[in-house]
Amino acid sequence: MTIYQFLLLFLLWVCLPHFCSPEIMFRRTPVPQKRILGARVPRSDGKILHRQKRGWMWNQFFLLEEYTGSDYQYVGKLHSDQDKGDGSLKYILSGDGAGTLFIIDEKTGDIHATRRIDREEKAFYTLRAQAINRRTLRPVEPESEFVIKIHDINDNEPTFPEEIYTASVPEMSVVGTSVVQVTATDADDPSYGNSARVIYSILQGQPYFSVEPETGIIRTALPNMNRENREQYQVVIQAKDMGGQMGGLSGTTTVNITLTDVNDNPPRFPQNTIHLRVLESSPVGTAIGSVKATDADTGKNAEVEYRIIDGDGTDMFDIITEKDTQEGIITVKKPLDYESRRLYTLKVEAENTHVDPRFYYLGPFKDTTIVKISIEDVDEPPVFSRSSYLFEVHEDIEVGTIIGTVMARDPDSTSSPVRFSLDRHTDLDRIFNIHSGNGSLYTSKPLDRELSQWHNLTVIAAEINNPKEMTRVAVFVRILDVNDNAPQFAVFYDTFVCENARPGQLIQTISAVDKDDPLGGQKFFFSLAAVNPNFTVQDNEDNTARILTRKNGFNRHEISTYLLPVVISDNDYPIQSSTGTLTIRVCACDSQGNMQSCSAEALLLPAGLSTGALIAILLCIIILLVIVVLFAALKRQRKKEPLILSKEDIRDNIVSYNDEGGGEEDTQAFDIGTLRNPAAIEEKKLRRDIIPETLFIPRRTPTPDNADVRDFINERLKEHDLDPTAPPYDSLATYAYEGNDSIAESLSSLESGTTDGDQNYDYLREWGPRFNKLAEMYGGGESDKDA
């Protein structure tokens, strides 16, 4: 405790009246008229009660907090007017802190506090006091309550709820703009003195900010504070009690103040002119560069929108605003051509999208710059005069006729010559060819519209100086029709005539088809190749005709079939005609003209035998024949079994056992050792599968000495041909002899690369029509080599 605080406490102790008279005498309470000492009050039980008067009156005690003396602090004195000073009375204290915090002298009634008391812990204590007769222990005064109130001293400094505050205020705010309010609390008694009266002051942060002493509201103190110059400020606020007077206690806090951004800065381009370059081959949409205007503001206040407002390249280029980087991306809007124009000029404007009306006077909030774009030359492929070509040609033109010409040029300034070729993947049959120099397309084979009406070709144009630079174009060849096909019957007609037919009766309606497709449509004419006495043709003039009879009655027994040649002609130029022959059968019909039978043998059958009976007879015959054939096959199979099952036959033959077997050592049908060792030829054995009529003496074949295997095989073949005991069926003998080299030599092309010079395949044309395709593939003309 400072000397000033001690003096202040001393003055308060001396001046306060209750401090100057710590002993309080309790006088009797004036008795009301209704409360008379000794008055008799009747009771229900008949006894009379005597009401005693009060002998003392309690007042409120006051105690100063934070007592620093060495002795107990004197609180006050209790005294009854019945106390004669002879020690006959005893004072008793009870309630809050009685016996511990507060003690009483039972003889004198003096009350003391045993320790320091903090008003901030508890502001008052409620106790009860009583005076009794020490001898009789009977109360002389009734028990009554009294209060000990703790008087406050300035022992608590003002405190802030937070050590550091964070606040913000827009930049360029007017003077006096409220930033934030800070409030300090004092634990002292606000109702007693000035111990809890707090006054605020600013220790750090001037001259930018100020604080209201009574409220703690921090306000701006300077006009036009600019965030771009300084953004962060630290302000220290002091709170002092005792109304800010000397000797008061104080506390401080720190307030960090940030200036928030407002749109008070327009965008500015760092350069007045910007140069960009782009290749003429850049496709539409290619980004060629960017421009950026700087803005000292942040966030949405720095957002900029770019646009092209003037220049000679407004239709060739476009600009897009990139929101993330706030850049203007310039892109290609139309295809560029170095040979047409090499330099473009654009005027680009950047403008803020969010403008604050309060700062219009700082504008305008936009800026412009000049962008010059240079076009750079690249080696471009040839360019055709059209995006596609369509040629029409008649199918009867001669081979080698030019059907059209494609044109292409090098768009570069060097104007390199162009070479033309056909993509053979689009002309596998090599029907067309192209002149490599002038692009003339001509036929190399006859055309036929009926086989293919359209040909879709691809022509390649490449620079001679740089063959990698090439361009393709589609060429559509339409084959026009020529009347080169004769009309024919539309279908195969199965025509019959009844025996009882009459003259003029319709027996068939015919129509025709033609592979040609004339512009005016098909028109066919029908007629007979010669006059026929039996039938005639009547043209319906709608590409159909009717076949009519000319006589009365036909006899299928005499003539069962008639052949009728019909001439069909078209009306296109040159007129084509063909003769189709109708086969007309003579049939027996009922009265309604329905066919019953057209076979001549039917006349010879008995009249009473029905069709069902004939079918049954035929089925029986067929079944009998099948049974006979199966029986004969089984019998023949039995006769052949002894020959196949014989295991003693050592002659050369092939026997199928339908199992895998054990190899060469597991068969007795063929012994390869005979070839490898001619001297080991076994003796001839007799056949065991048949009974020989004549026994022949086995004869030995002389073994050739040091002879070639081929001579040995020939001798064996001759021997078997002359052997009368040879089996009556063919056999196969394999001797594993390859023979000499072929006189034709090798036809393989594997070693063709080692030959010098180009090979000549003209001899292929002399091999006949079967080798025409090879002759065309390896004997191509000049265009193929060029391609």
Side-chain angles (χ1 to χ4, degrees), residues 651 684-687 690 692 694 696 720 722-728:
R651 288 168 298 165
K684 290 290 181 176
K685 296 182 180 181
L686 297 178
R687 293 177 58 178
I690 59 174
T694 306
F696 294 90
H720 279 279
L722 300 177
D723 189 1
T725 62

Side-chain angles (χ1 to χ4, degrees), residues 441-454:
L441 196 66
Y442 58 93
T443 59
S444 58
K445 287 184 178 180
L447 303 178
D448 189 353
R449 188 199 68 87
E450 286 69 39
L451 293 179
S452 179
Q453 186 176 356
W454 287 92

Side-chain angles (χ1 to χ4, degrees), residues 160-169 178-184 200-206 208-211 216-220 230-239 251-259:
F160 291 93
E162 298 181 15
E163 294 182 2
I164 298 178
Y165 288 84
T166 301
S168 62
V169 64
S178 175
V179 180
V180 69
Q181 182 179 13
V182 294
T183 302
Y200 300 94
S201 62
I202 184 168
L203 301 182
Q204 179 184 330
Q206 295 175 330
Y208 306 104
F209 299 94
S210 63
V211 64
I217 297 177
I218 301 174
R219 301 181 181 275
T220 58
R230 183 178 177 181
E231 186 175 3
Q232 299 289 337
Y233 294 87
Q234 191 176 72
V235 178
V236 178
I237 301 298
Q238 182 189 61
T252 60
T253 187
T254 301
V255 182
N256 294 326
I257 302 176
T258 302
L259 295 183

Side-chain angles (χ1 to χ4, degrees), residues 53-114:
K53 61 181 180 180
R54 291 182 60 90
W56 57 8
M57 183 181 68
W58 299 104
N59 288 331
Q60 190 175 31
F61 289 118
F62 292 92
L63 182 64
L64 191 66
E65 70 168 335
E66 301 293 344
Y67 173 72
T68 58
S70 59
D71 298 332
Y72 289 165
Q73 185 179 3
Y74 181 74
V75 178
K77 183 179 182 66
L78 297 179
H79 184 73
S80 176
D81 54 359
Q82 296 186 17
D83 189 359
K84 305 300 182 178
D86 55 359
S88 62
L89 296 182
K90 180 181 179 181
Y91 296 95
I92 299 174
L93 187 66
S94 63
D96 292 342
T100 56
L101 179 59
F102 301 102
I103 59 175
I104 189 171
D105 190 339
E106 61 182 13
K107 293 182 179 182
T108 63
D110 293 330
I111 301 174
H112 290 83
T114 61

